[in-house]
Amino acid sequence: MEKGVGRWLVSIFLVILCSGCSTPPISVGSQDESSLISESEQTSISSSAGISQGEKADSATPIFITVNETATIFLEGYPIDTLPWDMEGQETIGQSEDYIGRIVTVVRKTNDGTYAYVWIAELGFGWIESSALKEADFQPTDYSDYITLGGSPITSLPGDSEDADVIGDTSDRIGERVLLVYESADGEYVYAKTLINEGIGWLEKEALGLTGEEQVGMIAAEDYTVDTLVWGTPGSETVALTSEQIGAYVTVKGSLSDGSYTLLFKDGNAWGWVDTRAIEIRDDIMIAEATDYITAGQYPIFSQPPGTTEAVQLGTTKDVLGASATILFETMDSSSVYAAYLGWIDRQAFGLENGEYIGVIKAGSYSVDTLPWGTPDYETIGYSDSYAGKELLVKGTTQNGLYSLLWMQGSPLGWVDSRAIKPFDVVPVSYSAVISDGGYSIDSLPWVEFGAKELGSTAEYLGEAVSISRETVDGAYLYAEWNGEGVGWIDHRAFGK
C-alpha cells in the first residue's frame, strides 16, 4: 500500500474509531516523544479489515487487547515502531537503547503478547517487542531532592536487580534537583526525572539529600562563583561572582555530605551552589518567613541591620510605601527584618493600621492605585466611583491613615485615599419576613448609600417569605436572601414593619 493511501485510510478510520481516545493523534515524522504517532491512530489502522498484510505478516491482523501495566525498557537492540513490527505500513521511529531505564506505561498489547504499545511521559509513543520490557514492581512516589553524592551509578533498573545496566553516574549531576516518581519495593532505590520530566534512571537513595540544617548566611569571601550545579559538574553555569555579592544575605539550604559546597537561596528563590568557604554563617540572625505591608514612609532601608557599623543606606520606605514585602530574616530582638529584594528595615515600618472592616465608597473621582498615590512606580487601576454600590473589604490603612487598602471578592484591589470610603455599619441577624408591599426597589446597597444600584423590585417577590441576614444599624434597610441566594437591600416598610 502506498503511504498516501495509508494516511488517507488512517484519517477515515480515526474519525470512526477514536471517539474514546484520551488524547488526540500525533503525526509521525519526529523523534521527539511529543511528536510520535499516538495509540489511537495506530488502533484505527490495525483495526481496519481493509488493510492487507505485507510480506512480513504471517497471520491475520492481530487483535489488540487493552492493559494497564508499568514496565521499564531494559534491553538494547529493539526497534520502536509505529505499528507492531510484522504489520504492513510499520515504520521505525526509535531504538530501545535510546530509552534504557525509562519507565513506561503499557496500554495495549497484541493478543499473543509479543508486542506492546507504550506511553512515555504521559504521551503515546510506539510499539516495542515485549521482550525488551521488564514488568515493574515499583511504588509510585512524588517528591524532589538534590543529587549530592558523586560516584554512584545510575541504572536502568533498581541497582540490586540482576538485569540492571549502568547508564550513567551521579558525578555528572552533582547539585541537580530531581523529581522522584518511583521507589523500589525494598525502598533502597528511586527513579529520577529532570524538572522538565525527562527520565534519568534509578539512583541509590544514599546519593540524595542535603546535609545540615537551614541557616542564615552572608557572602563573605571573594574569588568564588555561584553556580547552577556544583562547580566542575558538566553543564554547570555561573550565575554570580561572590566578589560582587559581598555582604549579601542568603538562606543556606544545606551542603554536600563532605561539606565542600553549599546550596544557597537568595531573596526566597534558588540561587546556586558555592564553595562553603565563601559563606559566613550568621548565628545572630534568625529565619523569619512572613509577608507584611510597608505602611510607614519615614524609615531608611539598609544593607545590614540598622545600627551596625557596616550598614549602608540603600533607600527609604517612602519609595515602597504600600508594598507587600516578603520577610525572610530578623534580628534576635526582632527589631529589624530583612525584606526580599529590598534590604534591612526597622520592624516598625510594617503593619496595617485601624483594623479590618467592610466599607463602601462615599465619594467618587479618587484613584485606586497599586501603591498609595505618589509612591514611585505606582499605577492607577481605576477610580472610586467605579466601585460605588459595592461592599468592599478594607484591610487597613497606612500608619498615617491617609490611604486604605481595598480587597474585593477575596483578592487585593488597590490603595485609595481614605476620604473616598466609609465603614458600612450593619448588624447580623437571622429571621424570616414576608414582602407585603410591591412598591419598593431592591438595591445593591441601602437606597440612601452613594452608588446604590437598583437590582429589581419587591413586586417580583410579593407575598414571598425571604430570609433576612443583615440590617442597617438604624433598622431602616434589610438584606434579603431567597432560596439560598442574595436578593439585595430592601426598605423595611416593604415588610410592613
Side-chain angles (χ1 to χ4, degrees), residues 60 129 131 146 165 173 181 185 220 222 283 294 298 302 304 337 363 385 411 427 436 458 462-463 466 491:
E129 194 167 331
S131 302
Y146 291 88
D165 288 329
R173 294 179 176 272
V181 294
E222 299 183 351
D283 294 327
I294 297 173
Q298 70 271 28
F302 291 105
Q304 300 290 326
V337 299
D385 51 7
S411 299
V427 179
S436 57
T458 54
L462 189 61
V466 296
D491 192 302

Side-chain angles (χ1 to χ4, degrees), residues 305-349:
T308 59
T309 56
E310 303 89 353
V312 175
Q313 185 168 342
L314 305 175
T316 67
T317 54
K318 181 180 179 181
D319 297 330
V320 287
L321 184 65
S324 177
T326 300
I327 296 172
L328 299 175
F329 314 125
E330 64 181 358
T331 54
M332 299 300 287
D333 61 4
S334 299
S335 62
S336 300
V337 299
Y338 178 85
Y341 303 106
L342 297 176
W344 286 93
I345 305 173
D346 192 303
R347 189 66 180 87
Q348 297 180 87

Side-chain angles (χ1 to χ4, degrees), residues 143-148 175-180 205 208-210:
Y143 65 102
S144 67
D145 208 339
Y146 291 88
I147 297 176
T148 53
E176 182 177 355
R177 181 182 167 213
V178 294
L179 303 176
L180 305 172
K205 274 191 175 180
L208 300 164
L210 298 167

Side-chain angles (χ1 to χ4, degrees), residues 37-99:
I37 194 163
S38 73
E39 174 200 2
S40 55
E41 184 168 341
Q42 296 173 44
T43 301
S44 64
I45 297 173
S46 58
S47 299
S48 168
I51 296 181
S52 62
Q53 298 299 302
E55 294 179 358
K56 290 186 288 185
D58 56 8
S59 62
T61 303
I63 299 173
F64 297 161
I65 58 174
T66 300
V67 296
N68 183 13
E69 301 172 356
T70 301
T72 298
I73 299 175
F74 82 109
L75 290 180
E76 298 181 356
Y78 288 82
I80 303 172
D81 304 304
T82 58
L83 294 169
W85 184 83
D86 58 358
M87 287 190 65
E88 181 177 342
Q90 159 271 340
E91 295 180 15
T92 297
I93 53 179
Q95 298 293 331
S96 62
E97 49 264 38
D98 296 327
Y99 300 94

